[in-house]
Amino acid sequence: MRNNTIGSLIWLRLMRFTNQSNQLSNDFLKRFDLTTAQFDVLVQIHIYQPLTQSELAEKVTVTQGGISRMLARLEKEGYIVRKQDWKTKMITLTDNAEAILEEAMPAQLAFQSSFFADVLNEEEEKTLYTLMTRVHKYSQRKELPLE
């Protein structure tokens, strides 16, 4: 791995940071009896409800199969309701989920923000945000190289 480019080193750091952040977030969210993936799903439903399972799957980092299992679990735990609207099932949050998010969202956002605010000044945070936004937008239109 001595021939790493700066780009590959950045990618490795991002992957390691993402994994570490997710592990810490999972531990942090245990106090709300949620995982990071469940939190993400509940937040997306909160923002866009009512929405379909397909619409939700586009907004989160969970696969279609994973989202089906997660929604079944969240419904069983009383966090979501799926109602048939003609041919489509619409997903909404229950009052219980709204109450949990009211407490968990500000706590989780503060926890996640601390990864940056504790080590970067405001200008560095803005620069990092601008650069990551640019890289992310490029990645959305990036095509795989030909074989």
Side-chain angles (χ1 to χ4, degrees), residues 43-93:
V43 167
Q44 295 306 314
I45 296 169
H46 172 76
I47 293 169
Y48 297 104
Q49 67 185 333
L51 75 168
T52 66
Q53 183 171 316
S54 298
E55 291 169 334
L56 179 61
E58 289 177 15
K59 298 180 183 319
V60 296
T61 57
V62 181
T63 64
Q64 270 287 2
I67 199 80
S68 273
R69 288 187 299 278
M70 182 182 293
L71 290 175
R73 201 167 39 245
L74 291 172
E75 188 172 35
K76 184 179 176 185
E77 292 172 8
Y79 291 135
I80 66 162
V81 174
R82 294 190 271 188
K83 292 182 184 169
Q84 193 75 28
D85 182 20
W86 196 51
K87 291 184 177 181
T88 310
K89 276 189 180 175
M90 301 304 290
I91 304 165
T92 58
L93 295 181

Side-chain angles (χ1 to χ4, degrees), residues 57-141:
E58 289 177 15
K59 298 180 183 319
V60 296
T61 57
V62 181
T63 64
Q64 270 287 2
I67 199 80
S68 273
R69 288 187 299 278
M70 182 182 293
L71 290 175
R73 201 167 39 245
L74 291 172
E75 188 172 35
K76 184 179 176 185
E77 292 172 8
Y79 291 135
I80 66 162
V81 174
R82 294 190 271 188
K83 292 182 184 169
Q84 193 75 28
D85 182 20
W86 196 51
K87 291 184 177 181
T88 310
K89 276 189 180 175
M90 301 304 290
I91 304 165
T92 58
L93 295 181
T94 63
D95 290 343
N96 184 33
E98 293 282 2
I100 288 169
L101 279 181
E102 193 173 314
E103 188 180 347
M105 201 174 324
Q108 173 66 356
L109 293 177
F111 179 67
Q112 283 297 314
S113 295
S114 73
F115 283 108
F116 306 99
D118 291 354
V119 296
L120 302 174
N121 64 39
E122 191 175 337
E123 184 177 326
E124 290 169 328
E125 283 184 288
K126 287 178 183 176
T127 299
L128 180 58
Y129 177 76
T130 300
L131 294 172
M132 290 309 304
T133 300
R134 188 185 319 162
V135 171
H136 179 242
K137 285 182 179 179
Y138 174 73
S139 76
Q140 291 176 310
R141 62 180 192 275

Side-chain angles (χ1 to χ4, degrees), residues 15-61:
M15 293 304 298
R16 289 179 181 148
F17 169 75
T18 300
N19 289 336
Q20 178 70 18
S21 170
N22 284 337
Q23 282 181 324
L24 290 169
S25 285
N26 275 325
D27 290 342
F28 181 80
L29 288 168
K30 280 180 184 174
R31 65 188 70 187
F32 304 103
D33 202 25
L34 294 172
T35 65
T36 302
Q38 289 170 329
F39 177 80
D40 184 26
V41 166
L42 292 176
V43 167
Q44 295 306 314
I45 296 169
H46 172 76
I47 293 169
Y48 297 104
Q49 67 185 333
L51 75 168
T52 66
Q53 183 171 316
S54 298
E55 291 169 334
L56 179 61
E58 289 177 15
K59 298 180 183 319
V60 296
T61 57

